[in-house]
Amino acid sequence: MKKREMYRAGKIMMVLLTAGALTFTAYGEENTFVQGTTVNGLGVSGMTVEEAGAHIQNFYSSEYQLTIRERNGVTETIQGKDIGFSVGIPDGALSEILQKENAAGRIFGPDAGNSYRITLQNTYSPDALEAQINRLRCISGSNITPTTDAHVSAYQEGKPFTIIPEVQGNNVYPNQVAQVIQEAVATGATEVDLEEKGCYYPVQVTADNEQLKNLCDTMNQCREMEITYTFGEETEVLNAAVICSWLTGVIDGEIQVDTAQAAAYIAVLADKHDTAGRERAFHTADGRDIMINGAYGWRIDQAAETAALISMIRTGQSQSREPQYAQGAALRGAGEWGQTYVEIDLTNQHVYMVKDGTVVWDAPCVTGNEARGHHTPAGIFTLTYKQRDRVLRGAKRADGSYEYESPVSYWMPFNGGIGLHDANWRGSFGGTIYKTNGSHGCVNLPPNKTKALYDLVYQGIPVICYH
């Protein structure tokens, strides 16, 4: 070769050797991976498929660990050996990579791109991994600071409410941490960042939140108020601490109150002070002390009173109030039927009219036929109305007639279709007539005595039936 040609060839070679990125073709053994080959970040250059597989499996089985990056630069690790971690390589995956390199001419070098990723079939002990997760300091450590939202301070007598600023802590959602770590281990990932994965409790409300500021202002407006409920001689005081715990903010200048909590308070008052339907003591006209029950009595209208309570709270002013009732009685306390009422002694078959505490009228009676099951119910009732010249009828038959039709001159119902009335078809009253020859449930009275009772009673007067 001439000197000039040798010089030109040498110059070309120097240019190639100094180039920034070179690739080379290797014509060595085609059963090994070319130089620079990596699989999932592990070097397998010069290895056969079997050697590369063993190398990858050995690394993950003995060297695998998951680094868990936590808040404030803290890291923790879970070792593969502690969770029984191992990998399985999909059949043919490594052979396919080798074939690709051979088909491409076994090129290697910085630009050859001989880095591959395959999906490994990881296995581990779920129970062992769960145990490792539960031991993490971010879950069970002693240095965990709970994240807390900004909130209004607790009620203190004589002191205004203030806003307590939020605290950004380092407590995590345990279930979410577990899921993130399980997914990382399942894919063979070597690192996971809990912050990036949203595993920490976030602050939801900050000290500059306008709703929180409005709530604090509202609670300060109400912190000195109290509402006093009166029940005769008894009282119930709803204090500022409880009231303020119900406040939820201000909308369009109106204080917002938790309706459910206000309703629950009224329900407590009703349970304590309602008397309708409950057993009470009664002193009979013949001097006995008995217990009676019935629908008569006090019963708070809970829906109406809940609305009234919320309206009172919105004023921010202390006040006293008697609750709104769906049903009332003559008096509060013992003997709430008052001093004027009708008394029906079902056992002794006698009726009394008590006015201002004194018996002003009485007469024998006949009540429901016990032999036929037409009992006159005991209880405390009120007179529904009174009416002259009424025809009392039984059940209507298929042919349009009635089981019975009884004209009466004085009709005084107090319990549905049961009432006091004259019974001119009877020649005697009292005694044990009712047991086999009683009424259909009404209280039969002597005709010559009924008008006087009719003139004394009025709509709403208590009617007390007892045995």
Side-chain angles (χ1 to χ4, degrees):
M1 182 181 294
K2 295 179 180 180
K3 282 186 176 182
R4 182 173 293 180
E5 291 175 345
M6 292 178 64
Y7 173 76
R8 183 179 297 168
K11 190 173 182 179
I12 291 172
M13 182 61 70
M14 289 294 293
V15 171
L16 292 173
L17 290 173
T18 56
L22 302 178
T23 59
F24 299 89
T25 302
Y27 294 98
E29 297 183 6
E30 295 188 350
N31 65 341
T32 63
F33 293 99
V34 301
Q35 183 178 342
T37 302
T38 64
V39 177
N40 289 23
L42 297 177
V44 294
S45 302
M47 298 182 187
T48 65
V49 167
E50 292 74 17
E51 290 170 342
H55 175 60
I56 293 171
Q57 289 176 324
N58 180 66
F59 171 81
Y60 279 106
S61 298
S62 61
E63 302 296 331
Y64 175 75
Q65 72 174 19
L66 175 66
T67 299
I68 302 156
R69 300 201 177 278
E70 303 170 10
R71 186 167 280 172
N72 302 323
V74 176
T75 61
E76 298 189 68
T77 60
I78 292 178
Q79 303 295 329
K81 60 183 177 59
D82 292 331
I83 60 173
F85 186 90
S86 63
V87 299
I89 300 173
D91 291 341
L94 293 177
S95 296
E96 184 179 338
I97 292 173
L98 181 60
Q99 290 171 8
K100 185 183 296 184
E101 290 186 340
N102 289 335
R106 297 183 63 80
I107 297 172
F108 65 92
D111 290 341
N114 292 329
S115 295
Y116 306 93
R117 293 204 67 83
I118 60 176
T119 301
L120 300 176
Q121 299 168 334
N122 303 331
T123 61
Y124 61 90
S125 166
D127 291 341
L129 179 58
E130 182 181 359
Q132 290 296 314
I133 292 172
N134 290 335
R135 290 192 190 101
L136 292 174
R137 294 192 302 276
C138 64
I139 290 179
S140 59
S142 59
N143 61 338
I144 296 175
T145 301
T147 294
T148 56
D149 291 337
H151 56 280
V152 180
S153 60
Y155 176 81
Q156 290 182 284
E157 187 173 355
K159 294 184 178 181
F161 290 101
T162 59
I163 293 177
I164 307 299
E166 69 276 9
V167 174
Q168 179 61 73
N170 61 347
N171 55 322
V172 296
Y173 297 105
N175 290 341
Q176 190 166 339
V177 169
Q179 181 179 346
V180 166
I181 291 176
Q182 287 163 2
E183 290 174 354
V185 172
T187 59
T190 57
E191 183 175 294
V192 67
D193 190 316
L194 299 186
E195 189 91 59
E196 290 180 357
K197 295 294 185 179
C199 293
Y200 287 93
Y201 277 88
V203 170
Q204 303 283 357
V205 181
T206 59
D208 58 0
N209 181 278
E210 290 301 320
Q211 277 191 315
L212 184 63
K213 291 178 181 179
N214 288 338
L215 176 59
C216 186
D217 292 342
T218 301
M219 292 172 72
N220 277 321
Q221 182 181 342
C222 297
R223 69 186 178 87
E224 299 297 337
M225 76 175 297
E226 64 179 27
I227 295 172
T228 303
Y229 276 99
T230 60
F231 302 89
E233 299 298 319
E234 299 181 47
T235 60
E236 298 281 352
V237 178
L238 177 60
N239 62 40
V242 175
I243 292 172
C244 290
S245 71
W246 297 352
L247 306 182
T248 59
V250 177
I251 298 179
D252 297 330
E254 183 176 70
I255 295 173
Q256 300 302 299
V257 181
D258 189 321
T259 302
Q261 294 196 65
Y265 177 77
I266 296 301
V268 170
L269 293 184
D271 184 63
K272 186 174 181 179
H273 295 281
D274 280 1
T275 59
R278 297 184 180 179
E279 196 171 58
R280 284 148 283 177
F282 178 70
H283 187 73
T284 67
D286 62 1
R288 288 177 292 139
D289 290 314
I290 63 171
M291 300 303 293
I292 55 175
N293 205 331
Y296 182 86
W298 298 95
R299 188 172 71 249
I300 295 174
D301 185 333
Q302 295 190 38
E305 191 53 39
T306 297
L309 175 57
I310 291 172
S311 295
M312 285 188 290
I313 291 172
R314 284 175 172 157
T315 68
Q317 303 297 316
S318 296
Q319 50 194 290
S320 294
R321 174 180 177 81
E322 185 177 3
Q324 186 168 332
Y325 290 100
Q327 176 181 301
L331 298 173
R332 260 290 178 189
E336 61 186 14
W337 37 84
Q339 297 293 303
T340 300
Y341 50 86
V342 177
E343 182 179 331
I344 303 171
D345 184 340
L346 299 172
T347 300
N348 295 310
Q349 295 288 285
H350 210 89
V351 178
Y352 303 90
M353 172 67 203
V354 179
K355 183 177 181 180
D356 298 328
T358 301
V359 176
V360 296
W361 178 97
D362 73 286
C365 68
V366 176
T367 58
N369 190 326
E370 289 194 347
R372 295 187 177 182
H374 300 314
H375 301 279
T376 302
I380 315 173
F381 311 94
T382 56
L383 196 70
T384 312
Y385 61 90
K386 62 180 185 177
Q387 182 182 3
R388 289 292 309 273
D389 302 322
R390 172 73 176 265
V391 177
L392 306 179
R393 293 184 173 91
K396 197 172 187 178
R397 299 188 181 99
D399 62 1
S401 63
Y402 295 93
E403 290 182 354
Y404 65 87
E405 291 186 286
S406 303
V408 299
S409 298
Y410 304 97
W411 171 235
M412 297 162 276
F414 60 84
N415 181 14
I418 296 175
L420 297 136
H421 62 79
D422 52 307
N424 58 15
W425 55 88
R426 291 190 182 278
S428 60
F429 296 84
T432 59
I433 298 171
Y434 74 102
K435 292 190 174 183
T436 56
N437 191 28
S439 70
H440 289 85
C442 287
V443 181
N444 294 177
L445 298 173
N448 64 337
K449 298 279 288 183
T450 310
K451 180 181 182 306
L453 177 64
Y454 186 88
D455 291 341
L456 288 168
V457 299
Y458 50 85
Q459 182 180 357
I461 188 173
V463 178
I464 304 170
C465 298
Y466 60 88
H467 289 285

mmCIF file with all atom_site columns, all heavy atoms in Angstrom, residues 5-24:
data_model
loop_
_atom_site.group_PDB
_atom_site.id
_atom_site.type_symbol
_atom_site.label_atom_id
_atom_site.label_alt_id
_atom_site.label_comp_id
_atom_site.label_asym_id
_atom_site.label_entity_id
_atom_site.label_seq_id
_atom_site.pdbx_PDB_ins_code
_atom_site.Cartn_x
_atom_site.Cartn_y
_atom_site.Cartn_z
_atom_site.occupancy
_atom_site.B_iso_or_equiv
_atom_site.pdbx_formal_charge
_atom_site.auth_seq_id
_atom_site.auth_comp_id
_atom_site.auth_asym_id
_atom_site.auth_atom_id
_atom_site.pdbx_PDB_model_num
ATOM 1   N N   . GLU A 1 5  ? -2.125  6.276  0.740  1.00 0.00 ? 5  GLU A N   1
ATOM 2   C CA  . GLU A 1 5  ? -3.341  5.516  1.022  1.00 0.00 ? 5  GLU A CA  1
ATOM 3   C C   . GLU A 1 5  ? -3.374  5.059  2.476  1.00 0.00 ? 5  GLU A C   1
ATOM 4   O O   . GLU A 1 5  ? -4.408  5.061  3.143  1.00 0.00 ? 5  GLU A O   1
ATOM 5   C CB  . GLU A 1 5  ? -3.408  4.299  0.106  1.00 0.00 ? 5  GLU A CB  1
ATOM 6   C CG  . GLU A 1 5  ? -3.657  4.689  -1.357 1.00 0.00 ? 5  GLU A CG  1
ATOM 7   C CD  . GLU A 1 5  ? -3.599  3.474  -2.269 1.00 0.00 ? 5  GLU A CD  1
ATOM 8   O OE1 . GLU A 1 5  ? -3.084  2.426  -1.813 1.00 0.00 ? 5  GLU A OE1 1
ATOM 9   O OE2 . GLU A 1 5  ? -4.093  3.574  -3.394 1.00 0.00 ? 5  GLU A OE2 1
ATOM 10  N N   . MET A 1 6  ? -2.164  4.657  3.019  1.00 0.00 ? 6  MET A N   1
ATOM 11  C CA  . MET A 1 6  ? -2.100  4.259  4.422  1.00 0.00 ? 6  MET A CA  1
ATOM 12  C C   . MET A 1 6  ? -2.421  5.431  5.332  1.00 0.00 ? 6  MET A C   1
ATOM 13  O O   . MET A 1 6  ? -3.110  5.299  6.341  1.00 0.00 ? 6  MET A O   1
ATOM 14  C CB  . MET A 1 6  ? -0.695  3.710  4.746  1.00 0.00 ? 6  MET A CB  1
ATOM 15  C CG  . MET A 1 6  ? -0.398  2.372  4.060  1.00 0.00 ? 6  MET A CG  1
ATOM 16  S SD  . MET A 1 6  ? 1.263   1.812  4.421  1.00 0.00 ? 6  MET A SD  1
ATOM 17  C CE  . MET A 1 6  ? 1.146   1.567  6.151  1.00 0.00 ? 6  MET A CE  1
ATOM 18  N N   . TYR A 1 7  ? -1.975  6.588  4.986  1.00 0.00 ? 7  TYR A N   1
ATOM 19  C CA  . TYR A 1 7  ? -2.241  7.775  5.795  1.00 0.00 ? 7  TYR A CA  1
ATOM 20  C C   . TYR A 1 7  ? -3.734  8.098  5.811  1.00 0.00 ? 7  TYR A C   1
ATOM 21  O O   . TYR A 1 7  ? -4.315  8.376  6.857  1.00 0.00 ? 7  TYR A O   1
ATOM 22  C CB  . TYR A 1 7  ? -1.456  8.957  5.222  1.00 0.00 ? 7  TYR A CB  1
ATOM 23  C CG  . TYR A 1 7  ? -1.790  10.270 5.884  1.00 0.00 ? 7  TYR A CG  1
ATOM 24  C CD1 . TYR A 1 7  ? -1.299  10.570 7.156  1.00 0.00 ? 7  TYR A CD1 1
ATOM 25  C CD2 . TYR A 1 7  ? -2.617  11.186 5.234  1.00 0.00 ? 7  TYR A CD2 1
ATOM 26  C CE1 . TYR A 1 7  ? -1.617  11.760 7.746  1.00 0.00 ? 7  TYR A CE1 1
ATOM 27  C CE2 . TYR A 1 7  ? -2.938  12.376 5.832  1.00 0.00 ? 7  TYR A CE2 1
ATOM 28  C CZ  . TYR A 1 7  ? -2.441  12.684 7.105  1.00 0.00 ? 7  TYR A CZ  1
ATOM 29  O OH  . TYR A 1 7  ? -2.760  13.867 7.693  1.00 0.00 ? 7  TYR A OH  1
ATOM 30  N N   . ARG A 1 8  ? -4.377  7.962  4.620  1.00 0.00 ? 8  ARG A N   1
ATOM 31  C CA  . ARG A 1 8  ? -5.816  8.261  4.524  1.00 0.00 ? 8  ARG A CA  1
ATOM 32  C C   . ARG A 1 8  ? -6.618  7.268  5.346  1.00 0.00 ? 8  ARG A C   1
ATOM 33  O O   . ARG A 1 8  ? -7.543  7.647  6.069  1.00 0.00 ? 8  ARG A O   1
ATOM 34  C CB  . ARG A 1 8  ? -6.234  8.203  3.061  1.00 0.00 ? 8  ARG A CB  1
ATOM 35  C CG  . ARG A 1 8  ? -7.710  8.569  2.861  1.00 0.00 ? 8  ARG A CG  1
ATOM 36  C CD  . ARG A 1 8  ? -8.076  8.531  1.400  1.00 0.00 ? 8  ARG A CD  1
ATOM 37  N NE  . ARG A 1 8  ? -7.295  9.529  0.677  1.00 0.00 ? 8  ARG A NE  1
ATOM 38  C CZ  . ARG A 1 8  ? -7.219  9.590  -0.665 1.00 0.00 ? 8  ARG A CZ  1
ATOM 39  N NH1 . ARG A 1 8  ? -7.862  8.693  -1.398 1.00 0.00 ? 8  ARG A NH1 1
ATOM 40  N NH2 . ARG A 1 8  ? -6.497  10.525 -1.257 1.00 0.00 ? 8  ARG A NH2 1
ATOM 41  N N   . ALA A 1 9  ? -6.238  5.987  5.276  1.00 0.00 ? 9  ALA A N   1
ATOM 42  C CA  . ALA A 1 9  ? -6.972  4.973  6.060  1.00 0.00 ? 9  ALA A CA  1
ATOM 43  C C   . ALA A 1 9  ? -6.821  5.201  7.547  1.00 0.00 ? 9  ALA A C   1
ATOM 44  O O   . ALA A 1 9  ? -7.755  5.061  8.332  1.00 0.00 ? 9  ALA A O   1
ATOM 45  C CB  . ALA A 1 9  ? -6.471  3.572  5.685  1.00 0.00 ? 9  ALA A CB  1
ATOM 46  N N   . GLY A 1 10 ? -5.610  5.561  7.963  1.00 0.00 ? 10 GLY A N   1
ATOM 47  C CA  . GLY A 1 10 ? -5.377  5.831  9.391  1.00 0.00 ? 10 GLY A CA  1
ATOM 48  C C   . GLY A 1 10 ? -6.163  7.033  9.864  1.00 0.00 ? 10 GLY A C   1
ATOM 49  O O   . GLY A 1 10 ? -6.690  7.054  10.975 1.00 0.00 ? 10 GLY A O   1
ATOM 50  N N   . LYS A 1 11 ? -6.263  8.016  9.024  1.00 0.00 ? 11 LYS A N   1
ATOM 51  C CA  . LYS A 1 11 ? -7.014  9.220  9.411  1.00 0.00 ? 11 LYS A CA  1
ATOM 52  C C   . LYS A 1 11 ? -8.492  8.906  9.593  1.00 0.00 ? 11 LYS A C   1
ATOM 53  O O   . LYS A 1 11 ? -9.140  9.371  10.524 1.00 0.00 ? 11 LYS A O   1
ATOM 54  C CB  . LYS A 1 11 ? -6.805  10.273 8.332  1.00 0.00 ? 11 LYS A CB  1
ATOM 55  C CG  . LYS A 1 11 ? -7.340  11.640 8.729  1.00 0.00 ? 11 LYS A CG  1
ATOM 56  C CD  . LYS A 1 11 ? -6.954  12.689 7.689  1.00 0.00 ? 11 LYS A CD  1
ATOM 57  C CE  . LYS A 1 11 ? -7.447  14.061 8.112  1.00 0.00 ? 11 LYS A CE  1
ATOM 58  N NZ  . LYS A 1 11 ? -7.063  15.094 7.118  1.00 0.00 ? 11 LYS A NZ  1
ATOM 59  N N   . ILE A 1 12 ? -9.031  8.090  8.695  1.00 0.00 ? 12 ILE A N   1
ATOM 60  C CA  . ILE A 1 12 ? -10.464 7.708  8.811  1.00 0.00 ? 12 ILE A CA  1
ATOM 61  C C   . ILE A 1 12 ? -10.707 6.939  10.103 1.00 0.00 ? 12 ILE A C   1
ATOM 62  O O   . ILE A 1 12 ? -11.685 7.142  10.819 1.00 0.00 ? 12 ILE A O   1
ATOM 63  C CB  . ILE A 1 12 ? -10.878 6.877  7.592  1.00 0.00 ? 12 ILE A CB  1
ATOM 64  C CG1 . ILE A 1 12 ? -10.878 7.767  6.339  1.00 0.00 ? 12 ILE A CG1 1
ATOM 65  C CG2 . ILE A 1 12 ? -12.250 6.249  7.811  1.00 0.00 ? 12 ILE A CG2 1
ATOM 66  C CD1 . ILE A 1 12 ? -11.076 6.996  5.046  1.00 0.00 ? 12 ILE A CD1 1
ATOM 67  N N   . MET A 1 13 ? -9.760  6.037  10.460 1.00 0.00 ? 13 MET A N   1
ATOM 68  C CA  . MET A 1 13 ? -9.897  5.251  11.682 1.00 0.00 ? 13 MET A CA  1
ATOM 69  C C   . MET A 1 13 ? -9.877  6.143  12.909 1.00 0.00 ? 13 MET A C   1
ATOM 70  O O   . MET A 1 13 ? -10.631 5.937  13.861 1.00 0.00 ? 13 MET A O   1
ATOM 71  C CB  . MET A 1 13 ? -8.780  4.218  11.770 1.00 0.00 ? 13 MET A CB  1
ATOM 72  C CG  . MET A 1 13 ? -8.871  3.320  13.013 1.00 0.00 ? 13 MET A CG  1
ATOM 73  S SD  . MET A 1 13 ? -10.381 2.355  13.059 1.00 0.00 ? 13 MET A SD  1
ATOM 74  C CE  . MET A 1 13 ? -10.035 1.211  11.719 1.00 0.00 ? 13 MET A CE  1
ATOM 75  N N   . MET A 1 14 ? -9.022  7.154  12.915 1.00 0.00 ? 14 MET A N   1
ATOM 76  C CA  . MET A 1 14 ? -8.953  8.077  14.049 1.00 0.00 ? 14 MET A CA  1
ATOM 77  C C   . MET A 1 14 ? -10.273 8.826  14.220 1.00 0.00 ? 14 MET A C   1
ATOM 78  O O   . MET A 1 14 ? -10.744 9.046  15.332 1.00 0.00 ? 14 MET A O   1
ATOM 79  C CB  . MET A 1 14 ? -7.807  9.082  13.835 1.00 0.00 ? 14 MET A CB  1
ATOM 80  C CG  . MET A 1 14 ? -6.429  8.456  13.966 1.00 0.00 ? 14 MET A CG  1
ATOM 81  S SD  . MET A 1 14 ? -6.120  7.892  15.662 1.00 0.00 ? 14 MET A SD  1
ATOM 82  C CE  . MET A 1 14 ? -6.078  9.455  16.487 1.00 0.00 ? 14 MET A CE  1
ATOM 83  N N   . VAL A 1 15 ? -10.867 9.229  13.102 1.00 0.00 ? 15 VAL A N   1
ATOM 84  C CA  . VAL A 1 15 ? -12.163 9.934  13.182 1.00 0.00 ? 15 VAL A CA  1
ATOM 85  C C   . VAL A 1 15 ? -13.216 9.047  13.806 1.00 0.00 ? 15 VAL A C   1
ATOM 86  O O   . VAL A 1 15 ? -13.991 9.447  14.667 1.00 0.00 ? 15 VAL A O   1
ATOM 87  C CB  . VAL A 1 15 ? -12.597 10.413 11.777 1.00 0.00 ? 15 VAL A CB  1
ATOM 88  C CG1 . VAL A 1 15 ? -14.028 10.929 11.823 1.00 0.00 ? 15 VAL A CG1 1
ATOM 89  C CG2 . VAL A 1 15 ? -11.654 11.479 11.272 1.00 0.00 ? 15 VAL A CG2 1
ATOM 90  N N   . LEU A 1 16 ? -13.242 7.769  13.383 1.00 0.00 ? 16 LEU A N   1
ATOM 91  C CA  . LEU A 1 16 ? -14.233 6.847  13.929 1.00 0.00 ? 16 LEU A CA  1
ATOM 92  C C   . LEU A 1 16 ? -14.039 6.598  15.415 1.00 0.00 ? 16 LEU A C   1
ATOM 93  O O   . LEU A 1 16 ? -14.988 6.517  16.200 1.00 0.00 ? 16 LEU A O   1
ATOM 94  C CB  . LEU A 1 16 ? -14.177 5.515  13.179 1.00 0.00 ? 16 LEU A CB  1
ATOM 95  C CG  . LEU A 1 16 ? -14.654 5.566  11.711 1.00 0.00 ? 16 LEU A CG  1
ATOM 96  C CD1 . LEU A 1 16 ? -14.373 4.213  11.033 1.00 0.00 ? 16 LEU A CD1 1
ATOM 97  C CD2 . LEU A 1 16 ? -16.125 5.906  11.635 1.00 0.00 ? 16 LEU A CD2 1
ATOM 98  N N   . LEU A 1 17 ? -12.788 6.473  15.840 1.00 0.00 ? 17 LEU A N   1
ATOM 99  C CA  . LEU A 1 17 ? -12.512 6.180  17.243 1.00 0.00 ? 17 LEU A CA  1
ATOM 100 C C   . LEU A 1 17 ? -12.845 7.335  18.157 1.00 0.00 ? 17 LEU A C   1
ATOM 101 O O   . LEU A 1 17 ? -13.121 7.156  19.335 1.00 0.00 ? 17 LEU A O   1
ATOM 102 C CB  . LEU A 1 17 ? -11.042 5.789  17.416 1.00 0.00 ? 17 LEU A CB  1
ATOM 103 C CG  . LEU A 1 17 ? -10.656 4.425  16.831 1.00 0.00 ? 17 LEU A CG  1
ATOM 104 C CD1 . LEU A 1 17 ? -9.128  4.228  16.911 1.00 0.00 ? 17 LEU A CD1 1
ATOM 105 C CD2 . LEU A 1 17 ? -11.367 3.312  17.571 1.00 0.00 ? 17 LEU A CD2 1
ATOM 106 N N   . THR A 1 18 ? -12.780 8.534  17.629 1.00 0.00 ? 18 THR A N   1
ATOM 107 C CA  . THR A 1 18 ? -13.059 9.694  18.477 1.00 0.00 ? 18 THR A CA  1
ATOM 108 C C   . THR A 1 18 ? -14.502 10.166 18.368 1.00 0.00 ? 18 THR A C   1
ATOM 109 O O   . THR A 1 18 ? -14.870 11.170 18.960 1.00 0.00 ? 18 THR A O   1
ATOM 110 C CB  . THR A 1 18 ? -12.126 10.875 18.101 1.00 0.00 ? 18 THR A CB  1
ATOM 111 O OG1 . THR A 1 18 ? -12.295 11.157 16.706 1.00 0.00 ? 18 THR A OG1 1
ATOM 112 C CG2 . THR A 1 18 ? -10.687 10.509 18.379 1.00 0.00 ? 18 THR A CG2 1
ATOM 113 N N   . ALA A 1 19 ? -15.333 9.484  17.645 1.00 0.00 ? 19 ALA A N   1
ATOM 114 C CA  . ALA A 1 19 ? -16.748 9.883  17.532 1.00 0.00 ? 19 ALA A CA  1
ATOM 115 C C   . ALA A 1 19 ? -17.443 9.749  18.886 1.00 0.00 ? 19 ALA A C   1
ATOM 116 O O   . ALA A 1 19 ? -17.100 8.894  19.694 1.00 0.00 ? 19 ALA A O   1
ATOM 117 C CB  . ALA A 1 19 ? -17.450 9.002  16.489 1.00 0.00 ? 19 ALA A CB  1
ATOM 118 N N   . GLY A 1 20 ? -18.491 10.582 19.139 1.00 0.00 ? 20 GLY A N   1
ATOM 119 C CA  . GLY A 1 20 ? -19.168 10.597 20.451 1.00 0.00 ? 20 GLY A CA  1
ATOM 120 C C   . GLY A 1 20 ? -19.967 9.351  20.712 1.00 0.00 ? 20 GLY A C   1
ATOM 121 O O   . GLY A 1 20 ? -20.139 8.957  21.846 1.00 0.00 ? 20 GLY A O   1
ATOM 122 N N   . ALA A 1 21 ? -20.504 8.673  19.732 1.00 0.00 ? 21 ALA A N   1
ATOM 123 C CA  . ALA A 1 21 ? -21.336 7.496  19.965 1.00 0.00 ? 21 ALA A CA  1
ATOM 124 C C   . ALA A 1 21 ? -21.040 6.464  18.896 1.00 0.00 ? 21 ALA A C   1
ATOM 125 O O   . ALA A 1 21 ? -21.210 6.728  17.716 1.00 0.00 ? 21 ALA A O   1
ATOM 126 C CB  . ALA A 1 21 ? -22.819 7.877  19.934 1.00 0.00 ? 21 ALA A CB  1
ATOM 127 N N   . LEU A 1 22 ? -20.595 5.319  19.321 1.00 0.00 ? 22 LEU A N   1
ATOM 128 C CA  . LEU A 1 22 ? -20.213 4.272  18.381 1.00 0.00 ? 22 LEU A CA  1
ATOM 129 C C   . LEU A 1 22 ? -21.031 3.018  18.624 1.00 0.00 ? 22 LEU A C   1
ATOM 130 O O   . LEU A 1 22 ? -21.484 2.757  19.727 1.00 0.00 ? 22 LEU A O   1
ATOM 131 C CB  . LEU A 1 22 ? -18.725 3.945  18.540 1.00 0.00 ? 22 LEU A CB  1
ATOM 132 C CG  . LEU A 1 22 ? -17.745 5.112  18.341 1.00 0.00 ? 22 LEU A CG  1
ATOM 133 C CD1 . LEU A 1 22 ? -16.329 4.619  18.579 1.00 0.00 ? 22 LEU A CD1 1
ATOM 134 C CD2 . LEU A 1 22 ? -17.871 5.688  16.945 1.00 0.00 ? 22 LEU A CD2 1
ATOM 135 N N   . THR A 1 23 ? -21.243 2.248  17.639 1.00 0.00 ? 23 THR A N   1
ATOM 136 C CA  . THR A 1 23 ? -21.849 0.934  17.765 1.00 0.00 ? 23 THR A CA  1
ATOM 137 C C   . THR A 1 23 ? -20.929 -0.070 17.102 1.00 0.00 ? 23 THR A C   1
ATOM 138 O O   . THR A 1 23 ? -20.179 0.247  16.175 1.00 0.00 ? 23 THR A O   1
ATOM 139 C CB  . THR A 1 23 ? -23.232 0.889  17.089 1.00 0.00 ? 23 THR A CB  1
ATOM 140 O OG1 . THR A 1 23 ? -23.087 1.223  15.698 1.00 0.00 ? 23 THR A OG1 1
ATOM 141 C CG2 . THR A 1 23 ? -24.182 1.859  17.745 1.00 0.00 ? 23 THR A CG2 1
ATOM 142 N N   . PHE A 1 24 ? -20.998 -1.290 17.641 1.00 0.00 ? 24 PHE A N   1
ATOM 143 C CA  . PHE A 1 24 ? -20.117 -2.331 17.123 1.00 0.00 ? 24 PHE A CA  1
ATOM 144 C C   . PHE A 1 24 ? -20.937 -3.583 16.866 1.00 0.00 ? 24 PHE A C   1
ATOM 145 O O   . PHE A 1 24 ? -21.956 -3.830 17.521 1.00 0.00 ? 24 PHE A O   1
ATOM 146 C CB  . PHE A 1 24 ? -19.004 -2.660 18.134 1.00 0.00 ? 24 PHE A CB  1
ATOM 147 C CG  . PHE A 1 24 ? -18.120 -1.470 18.435 1.00 0.00 ? 24 PHE A CG  1
ATOM 148 C CD1 . PHE A 1 24 ? -18.451 -0.594 19.457 1.00 0.00 ? 24 PHE A CD1 1
ATOM 149 C CD2 . PHE A 1 24 ? -16.971 -1.234 17.682 1.00 0.00 ? 24 PHE A CD2 1
ATOM 150 C CE1 . PHE A 1 24 ? -17.652 0.500  19.718 1.00 0.00 ? 24 PHE A CE1 1
ATOM 151 C CE2 . PHE A 1 24 ? -16.174 -0.142 17.959 1.00 0.00 ? 24 PHE A CE2 1
ATOM 152 C CZ  . PHE A 1 24 ? -16.498 0.719  18.983 1.00 0.00 ? 24 PHE A CZ  1
#
